[in-house]
Amino acid sequence: IHCCIKNKTNMKLLKFLLPLLLVASCSSFSLNGLFSSEDKAEELPAEESAVEDIDEEVDEEEESEDEEEEEENVEFESLEEDEEVEEEENEEEEDEEEELDEEENLEVVSLEEEDEEEDEEEDELSALEEDEEDEEEEEIDEEEEVESVALEAEDDFEEEDEDEEDFEEEDAEDFEEEDAEDL
């Protein structure tokens, strides 16, 4: 933008200097003619034709500048259009990438959910197996307790039987001793 402004100011300077240079380069122009008052009538038409030539040249320059500006505008517009097309393509690519990322994320999430469900099922199965093992161990412990209680009861019963037999034997001995004494 700065270059364009600089170029425009240079062009404006040329618009003013060029006519002066053209007038100065004409063979009919001389410093004497400027300062002398002779033949004013002859100089006026020559000056008018020089001014007309300068005006024509200035008009031509303006037209060429306008054409150049139009070309620059067309080029600039085409560049802008190209940039817009590239931006749209980039946006489309980004959208597609986002969609692919979303799909991948959904797949990952669904796989994670499946893994979690499998883990939960395995945990439930292992918990059930542990419960079954605990129940079996409890049943075995109960059976062992029942057996040990039964054995203890048998031992106690046997001891009582032995004690009763011992007692009966003692009673029988005591009774025999008493009978023997009585006799």
Side-chain angles (χ1 to χ4, degrees):
I1 297 176
H2 179 62
C3 294
C4 294
I5 294 172
K6 188 175 181 182
N7 287 339
K8 286 184 179 181
T9 55
N10 287 340
M11 295 303 285
K12 286 181 181 178
L13 285 174
L14 285 176
K15 281 183 184 179
F16 293 111
L17 290 177
L18 195 61
L20 291 175
L21 292 173
L22 286 174
V23 169
S25 66
C26 288
S27 61
S28 64
F29 178 78
S30 66
L31 293 175
N32 291 335
L34 245 174
F35 296 113
S36 69
S37 60
E38 297 175 7
D39 299 327
K40 286 186 178 181
E42 291 178 7
E43 290 178 5
L44 286 176
E47 286 178 9
E48 287 178 9
S49 65
V51 169
E52 288 175 2
D53 290 340
I54 292 171
D55 288 340
E56 288 176 6
E57 289 175 7
V58 168
D59 289 341
E60 288 175 4
E61 287 177 10
E62 287 178 355
E63 288 176 4
S64 65
E65 287 176 8
D66 290 342
E67 289 175 1
E68 288 175 4
E69 286 179 9
E70 287 177 11
E71 288 175 3
E72 288 176 1
N73 287 340
V74 167
E75 289 176 4
F76 183 72
E77 289 174 359
S78 66
L79 286 175
E80 284 181 346
E81 289 175 0
D82 291 343
E83 288 177 359
E84 288 176 1
V85 168
E86 287 179 9
E87 286 178 4
E88 289 176 0
E89 290 175 355
N90 288 339
E91 287 177 2
E92 289 176 0
E93 289 176 2
E94 289 175 1
D95 290 343
E96 289 175 0
E97 288 177 2
E98 287 177 2
E99 288 176 3
L100 288 175
D101 288 344
E102 287 177 5
E103 289 176 3
E104 289 175 1
N105 287 340
L106 289 176
E107 289 176 3
V108 167
V109 167
S110 65
L111 288 175
E112 288 176 353
E113 288 176 353
E114 288 177 6
D115 288 344
E116 288 176 3
E117 288 175 1
E118 289 176 3
D119 290 343
E120 288 175 3
E121 289 175 2
E122 288 176 4
D123 291 343
E124 289 176 3
L125 286 175
S126 63
L128 287 174
E129 289 174 358
E130 288 176 4
D131 288 345
E132 288 176 1
E133 289 174 3
D134 290 343
E135 287 176 5
E136 288 176 5
E137 287 177 6
E138 287 176 6
E139 287 176 5
I140 291 172
D141 289 344
E142 286 177 7
E143 288 175 4
E144 288 176 357
E145 277 184 43
V146 168
E147 287 178 8
S148 65
V149 168
L151 287 175
E152 286 177 8
E154 274 183 29
D155 288 343
D156 289 344
F157 184 71
E158 286 176 4
E159 285 178 12
E160 285 179 10
D161 281 346
E162 286 176 7
D163 287 342
E164 282 181 17
E165 286 176 7
D166 288 341
F167 183 69
E168 287 177 5
E169 285 176 9
E170 286 177 10
D171 279 345
E173 286 175 6
D174 286 339
F175 185 67
E176 286 176 12
E177 284 178 11
E178 286 178 7
D179 280 339
E181 285 178 14
D182 285 337
L183 283 171

